């Protein structure tokens, strides 16, 4: 295990980026290409839109629902072992799916088993990139996450060709062999130990998400105990059991709620773009080509947005870049029902694909900005876990709307408004935070409160000149008890 005081921003980190790039090809690109099988499954098993859509939903849901399991194995066993195990499970699921005789069989093999395998690979690989990069983090994520777009661009026409040559059963069998490359990706994930992973007591107390009551207990123990180093070790042990304290952070709570609406809006489009194109008279090859366009433009969105948000002028505005990209994808969904020819659907694929790649790149970057690098793996597990329920529910709901109304309009409008609401929620949350900060600053300047810093050993405390009587009595009692001991 390599030891560093901070992320190396290069070196073996570029191999980690390459490994994550391949992981996104084998997981997210393959998941997107399952939509190409949609019409084949529907015709072969003679089922409606809603029942057939459950296949794609369960794959996505299992991938995101089990993301915390992938983080847990990565944190406590090994990132390499977790990704290799995930590759074996995903490959087994695809191979078993090629022998399916019913939709229920596909729900279990292609949905649950393959989705579980993808979950063990996806979030740990993304978290490893965040551990190796800091200054060029957005660019590294842009390159790594572009695997989803490149994979979709290449695999979409290839899968369509495989279906025509070997039927959907043969295509799934070949994809099962292809997904075994996840085991190679796992071998590239060399562990790294950062200084941030071993926090000291002062650093622990400085975290915003640590409850105030716990901070007071820790401060009193530090003041009264001369054995600060022994207690620090106990605190580190305590911290190791508190891997999910970031859940109490207001910024993370808002991000989590917005992710729910964003995930609901983005999922159905990848399921229904090809069937919708076919319904308006587009040929099979042109419909698959739309997915390819979406994939290759997704790459441009990944890399260019990653590079741009690493620039000094935009680095501090990543939050607004993210919500702008989500909002633009929502607008694209609102306009989709009026685009009923191949020449009109091509610009849609360009626009939606670009902004999809943009916000996907910024999800781990924003998560790292909110919770820090040390909690990134666990936080990403939770973020992708939150994708699970929307991914499970939204395609069947969209399919039910199609079956009920006989049109895709209601489905696409619901997706668009959901993504716009996600963006609007983040915008209002940031404005509320800014207004609150300005209000506190005005109160401080009006009352003329001065801040004094005093230290005790290794810990620095900040108190105002106007302590209330209870705080004074509390400090006096603590000081007296320490002297008596």
């Amino acid at each position: 295990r390599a030891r560093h005081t901070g992320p190396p921003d290069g070196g073996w980190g570029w191999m980690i980026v390459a490994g994550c790039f391949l992981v996104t090809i084998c997981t997210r690109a393959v998941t997107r290409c399952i939509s190409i099988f949609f019409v084949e499954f529907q015709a072969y098993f003679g089922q409606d839109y809603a029942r057939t859509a459950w296949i794609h939903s369960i794959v996505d849901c299992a991938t995101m629902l089990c993301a915390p399991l992938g983080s847990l194995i990565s944190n406590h066993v090994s990132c390499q072992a977790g990704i290799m195990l995930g590759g074996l499970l995903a490959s087994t699921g695809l191979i078993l799916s090629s022998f399916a005789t019913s939709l229920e069989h596909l729900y279990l093999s292609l949905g649950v088993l393959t989705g579980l395998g993808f979950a063990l690979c996806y979030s740990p690989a993304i978290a490893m990139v965040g551990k190796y990069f800091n200054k060029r983090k957005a660019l590294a994520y842009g390159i790594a996450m572009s695997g989803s777009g490149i994979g979709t661009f290449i695999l979409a026409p290839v899968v369509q060709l495989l279906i025509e040559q070997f039927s959907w059963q043969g295509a799934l069998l070949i994809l099962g062999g292809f997904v075994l490359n996840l085991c190679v990706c796992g071998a590239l994930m060399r562990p790294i130990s950062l200084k941030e992973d071993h926090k000291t007591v002062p650093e622990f107390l400085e975290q915003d998400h640590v409850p105030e009551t716990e901070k007071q207990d820790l401060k009193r123990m530090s003041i009264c105990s001369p054995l600060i180093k022994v207690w620090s070790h106990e605190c580190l042990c305590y911290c190791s059991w508190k891997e999910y304290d970031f859940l109490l952070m207001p910024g993370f709570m808002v991000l989590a709620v917005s992710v729910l609406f964003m995930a609901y809006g983005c999922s159905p489009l990848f399921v229904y773009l090809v069937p919708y194109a076919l319904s308006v008279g587009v040929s099979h090859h042109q419909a698959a080509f739309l997915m390819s366009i979406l994939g290759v433009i997704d790459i441009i969105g990944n890399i260019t947005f990653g590079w741009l948000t690493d620039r000094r002028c935009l680095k501090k505005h990543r939050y607004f870049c993210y919500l702008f990209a989500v909002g633009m994808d929502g607008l694209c969904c609102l306009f989709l029902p009026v685009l009923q020819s191949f020449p009109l659907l091509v610009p849609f694929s360009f626009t939606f694909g670009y902004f999809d790649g943009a916000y996907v790149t910024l999800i781990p970057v924003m998560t790292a900005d909110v919770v820090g690098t040390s909690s990134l793996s666990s936080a990403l597990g939770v973020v992708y876990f939150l994708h699970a329920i929307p991914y499970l529910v939204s395609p069947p709901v969209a399919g039910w709307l199609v079956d009920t109304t006989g049109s895709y309009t209601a489905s696409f409008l619901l997706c668009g408004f959901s993504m716009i609401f996600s963006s609007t929620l983040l915008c209002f949350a940031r404005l509320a935070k800014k207004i609150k900060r300005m209000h506190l600053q005005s109160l401080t300047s009006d009352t003329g409160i001065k801040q004094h810093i005093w230290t005790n050993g290794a810990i620095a405390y900040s108190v105002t000149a106007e302590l209330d009587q209870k705080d004074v009595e509390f400090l006096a009692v603590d000081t007296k008890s320490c002297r008596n001991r």
Side-chain angles (χ1 to χ4, degrees), residues 345-423:
L345 287 171
V346 169
F348 166 82
S349 293
F350 271 88
T351 308
F352 186 90
Y354 182 82
F355 287 108
D356 178 74
Y359 76 73
V360 166
T361 294
L362 292 181
I363 287 176
V365 176
M366 287 186 60
T367 306
D369 290 343
V370 171
V371 305
T373 304
S374 63
S375 300
L376 180 58
S377 181
S378 299
L380 279 176
V382 174
V383 167
Y384 292 128
F385 171 82
L386 293 171
H387 285 65
I389 301 302
Y391 276 8
L392 178 67
V393 173
S394 57
V397 168
W400 176 79
L401 289 172
V402 173
D403 292 331
T404 304
T405 64
S407 168
Y408 289 88
T409 302
S411 300
F412 291 145
L413 289 179
L414 185 59
C415 292
F417 284 123
S418 180
M419 297 189 79
I420 290 173
F421 178 79
S422 173
S423 178

Side-chain angles (χ1 to χ4, degrees), residues 249-321:
M249 298 174 67
F252 185 82
M253 291 179 184
V254 173
L255 178 63
V257 174
S258 72
V259 162
L260 290 173
F261 287 95
M262 179 273 292
Y264 183 91
C266 72
S267 181
L269 185 116
F270 292 101
V271 180
Y272 292 108
L273 179 59
V274 171
Y276 172 71
L278 294 174
S279 71
V280 296
V282 175
S283 69
H284 283 78
H285 285 286
Q286 287 178 327
F289 186 63
L290 288 174
M291 288 293 292
S292 294
I293 293 173
L294 193 150
V296 74
I297 300 303
D298 195 294
I299 305 163
I300 299 173
N302 286 143
I303 297 175
T304 58
F305 233 69
W307 181 82
L308 286 171
T309 52
D310 267 342
R311 301 306 94 196
R312 184 174 299 176
C313 58
L314 287 179
K315 196 166 188 177
K316 60 182 179 180
H317 300 299
R318 285 171 175 169
Y319 189 93
F320 292 102
C321 291

Side-chain angles (χ1 to χ4, degrees), residues 37-158:
F37 291 90
F38 188 94
V39 176
E40 301 295 328
F41 291 152
Q42 192 177 27
Y44 187 85
F45 296 108
Q47 299 293 338
D48 58 16
Y49 277 84
R51 283 178 57 84
T52 309
W54 277 105
I55 299 171
H56 193 282
S57 296
I58 295 173
V59 176
D60 263 338
C61 179
T63 301
M64 301 308 174
L65 191 67
C66 299
L69 178 61
S71 298
L72 186 68
I73 294 175
S74 174
N75 291 338
H76 296 282
V77 181
S78 167
C79 181
Q80 295 170 317
I83 294 177
M84 288 180 178
L85 176 61
L88 290 174
L89 290 176
S91 177
T92 302
L94 285 165
I95 292 171
L96 291 177
S97 298
S98 66
F99 300 99
T101 56
S102 66
L103 281 183
E104 289 74 17
H105 186 162
L106 288 174
Y107 293 161
L108 291 175
S109 58
L110 186 56
V112 176
L113 190 57
T114 301
L116 175 61
F118 288 165
L120 298 184
C121 302
Y122 191 55
S123 58
I126 294 173
M128 285 294 290
V129 175
K131 287 183 176 291
Y132 271 85
F133 287 87
N134 185 21
K135 294 179 181 178
R136 290 175 285 185
K137 182 180 290 183
L139 176 60
Y141 271 125
I143 296 171
M145 304 295 280
S146 67
S148 176
I150 292 176
T152 304
F153 174 71
I154 297 172
L155 288 178
V158 169

Side-chain angles (χ1 to χ4, degrees), residues 449-468:
I449 296 176
K450 295 182 179 180
Q451 199 174 47
H452 301 281
I453 305 295
W454 59 280
T455 61
N456 185 73
I459 300 178
Y461 301 96
S462 174
V463 297
T464 62
E466 298 182 1
L467 288 172
D468 60 26

Side-chain angles (χ1 to χ4, degrees), residues 156-205:
V158 169
V159 168
Q160 183 63 46
L161 184 62
L162 290 175
I163 291 173
E164 293 174 359
Q165 295 295 321
F166 305 105
S167 77
W168 63 266
Q169 291 96 335
L172 284 176
L173 189 64
I174 294 170
L175 279 179
F178 172 74
V179 164
L180 276 175
N181 284 293
L182 286 169
C183 296
V184 179
C185 302
L188 295 174
M189 299 296 169
R190 180 188 297 172
I192 184 173
S193 179
L194 300 175
K195 184 180 179 180
E196 187 177 347
D197 296 332
H198 308 282
K199 291 180 178 162
T200 62
V201 177
E203 291 169 340
F204 176 74
L205 293 173

